[in-house]
Amino acid sequence: MFLFLMGLFSANACPVYIHIEDNLGNPLSRITVLVDSKPMGSTNNSGVLELSLSTGTYQIEMVKKNGSKSKQTISVNCEQDNHFKFTLKTDDADLANLNEVVVQNKSIKKQIEESPFSVQVVDFKKQYDKAGDVGDYLNRASGVKLRTDGNIGSQVQINLGGLQGKAVRIFKDGIPIELFGHGFSLGTIPVNMLDRVEIYKGVMPVYLASDALGGGVNLVTRTSNKNFAEVSYEVASFNTHRATANLYLQNKNNFYGGFNGSFNYSDNNYKVNVPIQNATNEEFRNVKRFHDMTRSNYGEAFVGLKEKSWADDFRLTLIYSDFYKQIQNDAGMRYVYGQAFSKEQNYTGMVNYRKKFFDDKLKVAFLTNYSHFNTKFIDTTTVRYNWLGDIIAENQQPGEIRSGNNQRMKYNFVSSRLNMEYELSDRNFLEFSELYYSQRRKGSDPLGAISIIDGVDVLTVPATYRKDNMAFAWRSLWMDKKLESIVAAKYYHYNTEGYTTDNYGFAWKASKDDSQFGYLGGLKWVKDSYLVKLSYEYATRLPDEFEIFGDARLVKENLDLDPEKSHNLNLNGQYTIGKENNSLTFSGNLFYRKVKDIIFLQLDIPFNRYINYENSNIKGFEFETTYVPSKWINTGFNITYQDIRREEKEAQFKYLDDSRVPNIPFLFGNFWLNTYFGNIFKQGDNLNFTWNANYTHRFFLVAIPKNQEPPLFGDVKDFQTSLVIPQDGRLGQFSNDVGVYYHFAGNKTTVSAECRNIGDVRLYDNFNVQRPGRSFHLKLVYNFF
């Protein structure tokens, strides 16, 4: 197949946008454009002409209606965005001899970050030689805190502006990430798989149209307008192996195809400090994890057509992934599991369509997909283990984690997204977006809940969940495009049906239907080196199927759940001194969240259930400085503080009013230093060194009344030490990563070596679950072309 595609795709081309304005900033339509003396078309009403060119240098000639001409040379690089802006003077004295031309090329990253929203873009184009997964690099972004229960394959939560878990939605190319399985998640995606990550804080853009309470993360998968083929292989501590393969080919007729794939394997057998019961008492010892192996595969093949009369881009995609994860311990690392595991297979098909209508005034993008999952959760053993891997009890009740599971489930997902933008004028735009999502589950668990009335396994009765989110916006440009505004309204609707049980085992069918409205607004002002943004959203997060119906085991249903709601406010500022290879940038963000009806898992006997319980106020700030004194070095740091306080109205919990929400870090930051050296051993090679440091201040394991909280940097009282993470007296957790990367001349091969957590310090993210100590990583990347 590879040789066939190599023969089929013989040329590479990429879209090039020629944007022509007059000296007052007005678009110039019907300007004839010639490329190397060949007529290529005329600009539209927006002053834009889209071309398809290969990488290289071209002579651009622009011809006005009166015959006046202007020439300019441009350089096209198909690995970058190619947007060229030309300014033509319209003064009569200059019509005959037009000389002044201004060329600008603004990257997608810069365009997104200059939108009215509080957004940060992490560009991975220069990170493909780095080891680890995407989560390692998101954790270094300003205001972002990723938290995991271990190493590769473990569950990952992302914290944005004091909100985390399901309050923060994650997408792959605008589609909810849960439709792609655990083989494509923050804990398994190598950096080679992505082009960039868009991090929206507090306010979600219209084109995602999601029910996110605290923001969202959009993972944009890697693609190209240039033919390329690349493979990578990484080997690391704890018997970790990771591989990727990426291929993209396009021919002269704009028919293209490609493949993105990854493989992950790790024993995750790093050492942890845990309690071991001896003959007389319990002692803490350093032992290796013995039942935490993870294996995942992900493959995505696609074909498509570009620049046809019926479609600007039409793509078909097929995806397969599988995931296997052993389960080692509980959240407190007190209970040890030696046989429980989960397994998942996913099959997905996608169709993507893009087209511009009415002289490019209307832009339409439609994406739909279908996913089928087969999952298993097996916990049936009758023996028990200790941390040494020894069996310490036999002939017990089935199940190490709870009271036994032999759960096998089938899930069917359907999702579609429609995005439209209509250009009312060169300064006003209307935007519409709709996301439809449907889930159907059916399965079995002989050890699970059985309906006393019907005598059936509750999971064999199908449960369905559907939601429909819509957004409509008006976006405008003012003051010669220095000021941009956006206002939008959102609509959220969901309904669900399923089987539910009560505390006595009775079961019946039930349903839930609800609708909500939301709205947002944003302003952006940019001039020279200054950028200021203000944004607000009344956000909603709908309860999902699991929160409503539980697991038919130990989590009971609650059909009275209300959606979570939050008032989110952001004020962003940025100032830059200098340009390109000699710059100093300061950026900051003040944020406020007022959250109501937070969905909370209430622990009870014999059932737990999700309830609307907590309200909270969140205030905080982010600050980041980046310094680039020359092209061979850059450095910087960021710091985030988020003051997350509970609002308690019930008398029995009034003593916790205005206390910090537990188990969430509230002060953290990063520091980095990167150096670049060229022509070290041979002309055209590159040698890079990096140092990244991360600090997380101590945080509370459980709720502590405000009057008993220790000072921010003061001593912790004896009775509080067991309530603080870390519990060993440290002010916080400080870790360092270092790496060296060598790019061979010709840019075909890169070899890198990294050491993570070089000080081998003990790290925690959630409760008492320990993260890996020192680890070593070696990675090879090879580009065929």
Side-chain angles (χ1 to χ4, degrees), residues 5-23:
L5 289 174
M6 283 288 295
L8 181 64
F9 299 91
S10 57
N12 72 80
C14 56
V16 176
Y17 300 90
I18 305 297
H19 186 181
I20 303 176
E21 295 180 343
D22 62 19
N23 53 312

Side-chain angles (χ1 to χ4, degrees), residues 20-300:
I20 303 176
E21 295 180 343
D22 62 19
N23 53 312
L24 299 178
N26 300 310
L28 294 178
S29 61
R30 299 182 182 180
I31 302 295
T32 302
V33 176
L34 292 80
V35 178
D36 291 341
S37 301
K38 297 179 181 178
M40 302 297 288
S42 301
T43 57
N44 59 21
N45 290 339
S46 299
V48 177
L49 173 65
E50 182 178 350
L51 308 175
S52 180
L53 301 175
S54 304
T55 297
T57 301
Y58 299 89
Q59 186 79 17
I60 300 294
E61 188 173 2
M62 294 160 287
V63 182
K64 299 184 69 175
K65 300 173 187 177
N66 61 5
S68 62
K69 301 178 180 179
S70 175
K71 293 183 178 181
Q72 181 71 19
T73 301
I74 65 170
S75 295
V76 175
N77 185 347
C78 284
E79 293 184 350
Q80 301 178 358
D81 300 310
N82 295 281
H83 291 255
F84 299 95
K85 181 180 289 186
F86 298 86
T87 301
L88 303 183
K89 285 187 176 181
T90 56
D91 189 88
D92 292 340
D94 295 324
L95 285 177
N97 184 20
L98 200 55
N99 295 318
E100 183 174 340
V101 178
V102 178
V103 181
Q104 297 178 353
N105 191 356
K106 186 179 290 188
S107 67
I108 292 180
K109 178 180 186 297
K110 191 172 182 63
Q111 292 177 45
I112 295 174
E113 290 185 333
E114 289 187 357
S115 70
F117 305 112
S118 179
V119 56
Q120 184 175 0
V121 178
V122 180
D123 193 346
F124 283 111
K125 292 186 182 68
K126 296 182 179 179
Q127 308 295 332
Y128 296 147
D129 55 351
K130 305 296 191 298
D133 54 51
V134 171
D136 296 325
Y137 296 89
L138 287 185
N139 206 35
R140 299 168 187 168
S142 177
V144 179
K145 184 64 178 177
L146 263 69
R147 310 176 66 202
T148 178
D149 292 331
N151 202 23
I152 294 176
S154 298
Q155 182 180 1
V156 177
Q157 288 192 73
I158 184 168
N159 181 289
L160 287 177
L163 295 172
Q164 62 180 4
K166 295 178 181 179
V168 180
R169 295 298 194 190
I170 304 176
F171 306 88
K172 174 188 180 293
D173 299 320
I175 294 295
I177 196 173
E178 53 264 31
L179 274 67
F180 301 96
H182 285 87
F184 193 94
S185 66
L186 293 179
T188 58
I189 310 171
V191 294
N192 302 66
M193 296 288 290
L194 297 184
D195 178 84
R196 66 182 184 275
V197 176
E198 303 164 2
I199 306 169
Y200 294 93
K201 305 172 184 179
V203 181
M204 291 293 289
V206 172
Y207 87 93
L208 289 177
S210 177
D211 57 320
L213 190 72
V217 175
N218 188 31
L219 309 172
V220 181
T221 52
R222 186 176 179 182
T223 186
S224 176
N225 292 307
K226 177 184 178 182
N227 293 348
F228 79 94
E230 176 193 281
V231 294
S232 73
Y233 184 79
E234 175 189 344
V235 60
S237 301
F238 321 124
N239 195 25
T240 298
H241 302 267
R242 314 184 78 157
T244 66
N246 303 94
L247 171 70
Y248 181 88
L249 299 169
Q250 180 173 320
N251 67 10
K252 294 180 180 179
N253 296 320
N254 291 327
F255 176 61
Y256 66 89
F259 175 82
N260 298 314
S262 68
F263 167 78
N264 296 276
Y265 177 90
S266 180
D267 285 337
N268 289 327
N269 57 347
Y270 56 92
K271 288 186 176 182
V272 291
N273 187 258
V274 291
I276 304 292
Q277 184 68 43
N278 56 30
T280 59
N281 62 351
E282 188 177 74
E283 62 177 345
F284 279 80
R285 293 167 54 182
N286 291 325
V287 300
K288 283 188 176 182
R289 300 170 70 88
F290 64 89
H291 186 66
D292 197 22
M293 186 270 279
T294 296
R295 181 185 63 247
S296 71
N297 299 279
Y298 179 86
E300 174 182 322

Side-chain angles (χ1 to χ4, degrees), residues 685-716:
D685 69 359
N686 287 281
L687 181 65
N688 305 336
F689 295 94
T690 65
W691 171 43
N692 294 282
N694 175 267
Y695 175 77
T696 303
H697 199 63
R698 65 191 181 200
F699 57 95
F700 304 144
L701 182 62
V702 297
I704 299 175
K706 185 175 182 180
N707 60 1
Q708 296 180 11
E709 292 177 8
L712 188 61
F713 298 102
D715 294 333
V716 178

Side-chain angles (χ1 to χ4, degrees), residues 447-737:
L447 302 179
I450 304 296
S451 168
I452 295 177
I453 298 177
D454 299 326
V456 298
D457 180 345
V458 171
L459 290 180
T460 62
V461 180
T464 61
Y465 178 86
R466 293 174 293 270
K467 66 180 178 182
D468 192 10
N469 300 330
M470 289 183 285
F472 183 78
W474 173 32
R475 182 169 61 89
S476 300
L477 303 174
W478 314 84
M479 298 171 58
D480 196 24
K481 299 184 179 181
K482 293 183 177 64
L483 181 67
E484 180 178 352
S485 66
I486 184 169
V487 292
K490 293 185 176 183
Y491 172 74
Y492 312 94
H493 174 260
Y494 80 98
N495 64 76
T496 183
E497 300 174 350
Y499 228 64
T500 185
T501 60
D502 63 12
N503 289 357
Y504 304 99
F506 290 96
W508 64 92
K509 284 190 176 181
S511 62
K512 172 74 171 179
D513 188 283
D514 196 5
S515 300
Q516 297 288 327
F517 286 92
Y519 43 87
L520 65 84
L523 285 173
K524 178 210 72 177
W525 179 76
V526 59
K527 182 179 181 182
D528 301 328
S529 300
Y530 296 91
L531 173 65
V532 179
K533 297 192 286 187
L534 176 66
S535 58
Y536 164 81
E537 180 173 8
Y538 179 58
T540 296
R541 204 274 292 182
L542 303 175
D544 62 22
E545 174 264 346
F546 183 81
E547 292 167 330
I548 293 173
F549 284 109
D551 61 359
R553 193 77 181 119
L554 291 181
V555 180
K556 190 176 180 291
E557 88 295 336
N558 184 359
L559 272 70
D560 295 324
L561 275 179
D562 293 323
E564 298 176 328
K565 294 173 279 292
S566 179
H567 296 276
N568 300 335
L569 183 65
N570 298 277
L571 176 61
N572 303 80
Q574 180 177 297
Y575 176 65
T576 301
I577 304 172
K579 293 182 179 179
E580 296 181 358
N581 294 326
N582 186 7
S583 65
L584 177 63
T585 301
F586 302 95
S587 60
N589 176 28
L590 297 175
F591 58 88
Y592 173 75
R593 314 279 186 261
K594 185 175 180 59
V595 193
K596 181 182 178 182
D597 294 330
I598 298 176
I599 297 175
F600 174 79
L601 181 61
Q602 182 185 50
L603 304 180
D604 202 353
I605 298 174
F607 287 91
N608 307 322
R609 64 152 62 177
Y610 284 94
I611 63 172
N612 293 110
Y613 176 67
E614 293 184 334
N615 298 330
S616 65
N617 280 303
I618 304 169
K619 294 172 287 186
F621 69 87
E622 305 163 15
F623 180 78
E624 181 170 287
T625 296
T626 303
Y627 180 46
V628 184
S630 69
K631 65 180 181 180
W632 61 270
I633 187 171
N634 74 68
T635 185
F637 73 93
N638 58 49
I639 185 172
T640 300
Y641 177 76
Q642 47 193 26
D643 192 28
I644 313 169
R645 299 287 175 176
R646 298 169 62 162
E647 287 186 356
E648 296 291 349
K649 297 181 180 179
E650 296 186 26
Q652 59 179 325
F653 298 112
K654 197 66 177 177
Y655 73 102
L656 292 176
D657 186 43
D658 206 29
S659 65
R660 289 192 189 276
V661 174
N663 196 36
I664 300 179
F666 54 86
L667 177 62
F668 50 89
N670 300 274
F671 180 86
W672 63 89
L673 176 67
N674 304 308
T675 62
Y676 308 89
F677 303 97
N679 307 320
I680 303 298
F681 303 108
K682 190 176 180 180
Q683 186 72 24
D685 69 359
N686 287 281
L687 181 65
N688 305 336
F689 295 94
T690 65
W691 171 43
N692 294 282
N694 175 267
Y695 175 77
T696 303
H697 199 63
R698 65 191 181 200
F699 57 95
F700 304 144
L701 182 62
V702 297
I704 299 175
K706 185 175 182 180
N707 60 1
Q708 296 180 11
E709 292 177 8
L712 188 61
F713 298 102
D715 294 333
V716 178
K717 298 178 182 179
D718 291 340
F719 79 94
Q720 293 173 335
T721 55
S722 63
L723 308 179
V724 176
I725 295 294
Q727 298 179 352
D728 51 17
R730 284 179 290 167
L731 188 63
Q733 306 171 63
F734 187 80
S735 64
N736 295 270
D737 305 333

